Amino acid sequence: MAKIAVLGCGFGTALAVLAAQNGHEVVLWSKFSQELEEIRRDGEQKRLLPGVKVPESICLTNDLADLRHCGMCIVAVPSFAVRETARAANEHLSKDAIIVNVSKGLEEGSYKRLSQVLD
C-alpha cells in the first residue's frame, strides 16, 4: 500500500477514489476549503462527479503539509495552476516522491508543456 497525494478535486477526485478502492492511503488536496467541505458533507463531488462516493478513508485537506510521507503525488489541477501548485507542494514532498502529471494543456504565456513546467 502506497501513500498517494492527489492535487486537485476535479479529475483528481476520480483518481483519489480509484487509488483508495485499490487499498492505497490517499490525501486529496484542494486550494478551496469550501470544495472540501462540500465533499465531506455530501460524501461525493456532486458538481463534477455526482453519484460516486468518496471513501471516508481519503484525507481531504487544504494543507500541503499533509503531503509529507507521500511516495507519489498526482498533479490534477488546471493548467493555469500547475506551476503555482507544484512550487507550493514541492517543499512538503520527499525528494524521492514520484510526480505524476495528469493535467492537460500548455502553460499560459510560456506555452510550455506541463511536463516542462514540472521539471
Side-chain angles (χ1 to χ4, degrees), residues 49-66:
L49 203 59
V52 176
K53 296 297 177 193
V54 175
E56 290 183 13
S57 63
I58 293 177
C59 172
L60 301 172
T61 187
N62 64 354
D63 184 357
L64 289 168
D66 290 332

Side-chain angles (χ1 to χ4, degrees), residues 46-115:
K46 281 192 171 185
R47 186 172 57 88
L48 299 170
L49 203 59
V52 176
K53 296 297 177 193
V54 175
E56 290 183 13
S57 63
I58 293 177
C59 172
L60 301 172
T61 187
N62 64 354
D63 184 357
L64 289 168
D66 290 332
L67 306 183
R68 66 187 173 281
H69 309 300
C70 288
M72 177 183 289
C73 180
I74 300 172
V75 180
V77 297
S79 60
F80 66 83
V82 168
R83 184 178 298 273
E84 172 190 354
T85 302
R87 275 190 181 145
N90 187 48
E91 67 183 81
H92 302 285
L93 290 167
S94 160
K95 295 200 184 301
D96 297 329
I98 297 167
I99 308 298
V100 178
N101 176 51
V102 299
S103 298
K104 61 183 181 178
L106 300 173
E107 182 180 44
E108 191 174 301
S110 74
Y111 303 107
K112 289 183 176 183
R113 293 184 318 273
L114 300 177
S115 59

